[in-house]
Amino acid sequence: MILSMYNQAYIFVATIGLGFLSGLIYDAFRIFRVAIKHNNILTQLEDIIYWVFVTFIMFRFVISNNDGEVRGFLIGGMVIGMAVY
C-alpha cells in the first residue's frame, strides 16, 4: 500500500504517542511494584504481561493504519516516544 506523506507523518506521530503511552504504563507497573513488594517471579510475570500488552496494541495499530506493513519509522516512532517519556 502506498501511503501519502500526510498519512506517514500521522502514523509516525501516533507511534510516538504510543511509545509515550507505553512508558507511562510501564511507570504505573513500577509504582505498583514499589507500593507492594514483589518477588522476582512476579516481577518477571508483570514484565511479560506488559510486553504482550504493548505488542498487541502496536500490532492492532499497524494492522488498522498501515495494513500490517512494518516500516522503520513505526519502530523509530515507538522508540522516540519511549525515550521522550
Side-chain angles (χ1 to χ4, degrees):
M1 175 177 160
I2 298 174
L3 294 174
S4 68
M5 288 297 286
Y6 172 79
N7 286 344
Q8 288 181 31
Y10 166 76
I11 292 171
F12 179 68
V13 170
T15 56
I16 290 174
L18 283 174
F20 190 86
L21 183 64
S22 297
L24 186 68
I25 292 169
Y26 190 74
D27 269 355
F29 271 111
R30 286 179 36 192
I31 291 169
F32 180 68
R33 287 180 190 158
V34 170
I36 301 171
K37 296 296 180 194
H38 291 77
N39 61 13
N40 253 354
I41 294 172
L42 194 54
T43 299
Q44 291 173 3
L45 182 64
E46 288 174 354
D47 284 345
I48 291 169
I49 290 169
Y50 167 77
W51 281 112
V52 167
F53 176 74
V54 168
T55 302
F56 176 76
I57 295 300
M58 191 65 180
F59 177 75
R60 291 293 301 156
F61 178 81
V62 170
I63 291 293
S64 65
N65 290 303
N66 205 22
D67 291 335
E69 293 181 21
V70 178
R71 297 181 181 207
F73 68 86
L74 295 172
I75 297 167
M78 187 80 166
V79 170
I80 289 171
M82 291 177 113
V84 166
Y85 179 77

